[in-house]
Amino acid sequence: MAEIGRIAEVAGYLWEKGWAERNGGNISVNLTDTLTPGELAMEPVQAGIALQEPAGELKGDVFYVTGTGKRMRYVAQAPFANGALIRIAGDGASYDILAEKPIPPTSELPSHLLMHNYLRASGRQTKVVLHTHPTDLIGLTHCRPYLDSDKLTRLLWSMIPECRIIVPKGIGIVPYEIPGTLALAHATIRQLSRHDVVFWEKHGILAVGEDIIDCFDAIDTLSKSAQIFFSARAAGYEPEGMNDRQLDDLADAFQL
Ligand code: 13P
Ligand code: ZN
């Protein structure tokens, strides 16, 4: 399970970045394609846990998910003491916990599974949902004028060329909802038809993708843009930002 090593690597980055206070953030990765038939058929340590909403596209799929209340800095050190493998049941309505201890999954499981389910139904190869709490990006969601997808995307793209290239679909914004709720989950999947990165107002950021390192990099690049913006402001000037022409030229040059 080489993928577990990459999950642990990213969990360590989240902590080092200061994006993972206490148990902040959570990760789910669909491991089905990487597991042997024996691993996929593992005996559960806890079976038949009902899902709040069925995930019919994910029948039989196995995910690594971080545990609720678990700290990213410890996920980095011991992924299976701070997370679990879960397998979605054949009817898509419940899941089993397979290994190693019956660690209850993240409270954001409804969002994670709804996203995986939606993305699979859309024919995408997404394997990863990464949710974290970057200080600078969350800070931007406290500013009403920036709670606008086009405006915030434009601002962050314009701070550094890489942002336009690495986050080509820009960012979606979900108005504040109580963490862990189906309401948050449903509002989030509505953003995924257009975006791979979604901001949860006054709470956190999530990225979806095929590869966990790419998901981390997308959020890290957005965070870099936010830091450039805030440091210019702190120095007493309004950052000029790249202009529309410069951003469009990047789209042409990189076929975005
Ligand atoms: P969990 O510890 O349940 O994963 O919750 C952390 C979090 O960030 C909720 O959004
Ligand atoms: Zn959170």
Side-chain angles (χ1 to χ4, degrees), residues 6 56 73 88 112 129-130 143 167 177:
R6 287 154 55 78
R73 60 188 188 271
I88 310 300
H112 284 250
V129 174
L130 172 63
C143 181
V167 192
E177 292 283 356

Side-chain angles (χ1 to χ4, degrees), residues 1-251:
M1 289 191 208
E3 192 59 26
I4 298 294
R6 287 154 55 78
I7 295 168
E9 178 187 336
V10 167
Y13 298 156
L14 301 181
W15 166 246
E16 286 160 20
K17 283 277 177 188
W19 299 351
E21 74 292 340
R22 195 174 182 274
N23 61 312
N26 26 73
I27 299 171
S28 62
V29 180
N30 192 331
L31 297 176
T32 312
D33 292 344
T34 70
L35 298 177
T36 64
E39 287 168 334
L40 289 170
M42 252 185 287
E43 279 301 312
V45 289
Q46 196 176 339
I49 305 158
L51 289 171
Q52 290 180 51
E53 194 152 320
E57 299 288 332
L58 306 176
K59 292 171 185 169
D61 279 8
V62 173
F63 293 82
Y64 173 84
V65 286
T66 51
T68 187
K70 299 297 184 187
R71 292 159 171 83
M72 276 303 158
R73 60 188 188 271
Y74 299 147
V75 173
Q77 292 170 12
F80 282 116
N82 294 279
L85 293 183
I86 66 166
R87 181 177 57 218
I88 310 300
D91 61 0
S94 67
Y95 67 91
D96 299 340
I97 301 181
L98 303 183
E100 292 185 1
K101 298 182 192 155
I103 306 261
T106 171
S107 59
E108 301 289 4
L109 193 67
S111 276
H112 284 250
L113 290 184
L114 232 62
M115 284 188 264
H116 285 291
N117 195 64
Y118 168 84
L119 292 162
R120 169 70 55 79
S122 319
R124 288 162 64 179
Q125 297 301 312
T126 312
K127 300 271 185 292
V128 180
V129 174
L130 172 63
H131 163 59
T132 187
H133 294 175
T135 313
D136 38 26
L137 298 178
I138 296 170
L140 285 168
T141 73
H142 285 263
C143 181
R144 184 65 42 196
Y146 288 128
L147 288 173
D148 175 276
S149 169
D150 291 342
K151 194 162 181 182
L152 192 50
T153 296
R154 175 76 179 68
L155 173 78
L156 294 173
W157 275 356
S158 77
M159 289 295 117
I160 185 170
E162 279 72 11
C163 198
R164 176 76 184 86
I165 298 162
I166 291 166
V167 192
K169 294 188 192 172
I171 53 191
I173 296 179
V174 169
Y176 180 80
E177 292 283 356
I178 296 174
T181 56
L182 270 180
L184 178 60
H186 281 289
T188 304
I189 59 170
R190 283 197 289 275
Q191 298 298 319
L192 295 181
S193 58
R194 281 175 295 128
H195 307 288
D196 290 335
V197 179
V198 177
F199 284 32
W200 286 345
E201 179 186 338
K202 302 184 182 81
H203 173 171
I205 314 302
L206 66 90
V208 303
E210 290 181 36
D211 184 281
I212 191 165
I213 305 285
D214 291 340
C215 291
F216 171 80
D217 285 342
I219 300 174
D220 192 29
T221 306
L222 290 163
S223 169
K224 169 61 68 98
S225 281
Q227 287 173 51
I228 295 166
F229 173 69
F230 284 128
S231 40
R233 282 288 190 89
Y237 63 93
E238 187 68 25
E240 186 174 273
M242 296 162 64
N243 62 34
D244 287 342
R245 175 70 195 271
Q246 290 167 332
L247 289 171
D248 288 347
D249 285 350
L250 278 176

